[in-house]
Amino acid sequence: MQISSRFTIAVHMLAALALFEDDRRVTSDFLAGSIQVNPVVVRRLLLMLKGAELVSVARGRNGSRLARNPSEITLYDVYRATALLEDGKLFHFHERPNPACPAGRTIHAALDGKLFDVQQAMEEKLREIRLSDIVTDMKAAMKKAQP
């Protein structure tokens, strides 16, 4: 199981906004070209990010902008905006293990707390990483790649 690509696509979008919004209009078509996805995917994610107050979206070809400074946006913010978690849980446990089986009867007691701890640790780490960190690393990689 993987976390949906919505998360990494959204981080890519936000980083592109931070990198380019002062130099050009950053439209959904521009973002789609950078990510190499259909513009509809970008538009849907923009709506999610707008709902989380991470971006402002102008109609038509005016483009999008960050609603906050990159240092004020954490990867946790992006995760919460895009994850679509059931009941806030990252791991969806199969609903009805067989109670007549010793494994089925005890799996929840053995695993649920551990999965909760894993999710908590991941979310705490996401809270530590800011969009500005990602943008700084991207700028360093771009500079390094220059001839």
Side-chain angles (χ1 to χ4, degrees):
M1 178 175 119
Q2 292 182 318
I3 293 176
S4 166
S5 62
R6 284 187 303 267
F7 172 75
T8 55
I9 291 172
V11 172
H12 184 144
M13 291 166 52
L14 293 169
L17 286 169
L19 286 168
F20 302 119
E21 71 181 356
D22 290 334
D23 301 326
R24 63 173 297 136
R25 284 180 306 127
V26 182
T27 64
S28 57
D29 288 333
F30 173 81
L31 291 169
S34 177
I35 302 163
Q36 293 195 33
V37 297
N38 189 300
V40 172
V41 172
V42 170
R43 289 183 195 109
R44 285 184 184 143
L45 280 169
L46 282 171
L47 289 175
M48 292 173 135
L49 296 171
K50 180 181 178 185
E53 299 179 348
L54 299 177
V55 299
S56 60
V57 180
R59 291 211 176 257
R61 297 200 162 267
N62 293 325
S64 301
R65 299 191 66 76
L66 292 176
R68 295 191 254 166
N69 187 291
S71 65
E72 298 171 350
I73 298 172
T74 66
L75 291 188
Y76 180 77
D77 296 326
V78 182
Y79 162 74
R80 292 301 294 177
T82 62
L84 302 177
L85 302 177
E86 272 186 46
D87 298 326
K89 295 180 182 176
L90 177 62
F91 298 98
H92 178 74
F93 212 102
H94 52 288
E95 301 283 328
R96 299 177 312 193
N98 184 350
C101 172
R105 186 171 47 251
T106 58
I107 189 65
H108 279 288
L111 190 56
D112 287 353
K114 290 170 181 59
L115 295 179
F116 177 80
D117 291 345
V118 168
Q119 181 175 343
Q120 291 297 313
M122 182 193 77
E123 289 177 356
E124 187 56 39
K125 188 64 178 176
L126 291 173
R127 284 182 183 94
E128 295 173 8
I129 304 169
R130 304 199 170 280
L131 180 62
S132 56
D133 301 327
I134 303 300
V135 172
T136 297
D137 290 348
M138 291 173 74
K139 287 179 179 179
M142 287 188 273
K143 187 174 183 177
K144 187 177 180 180
Q146 289 179 345

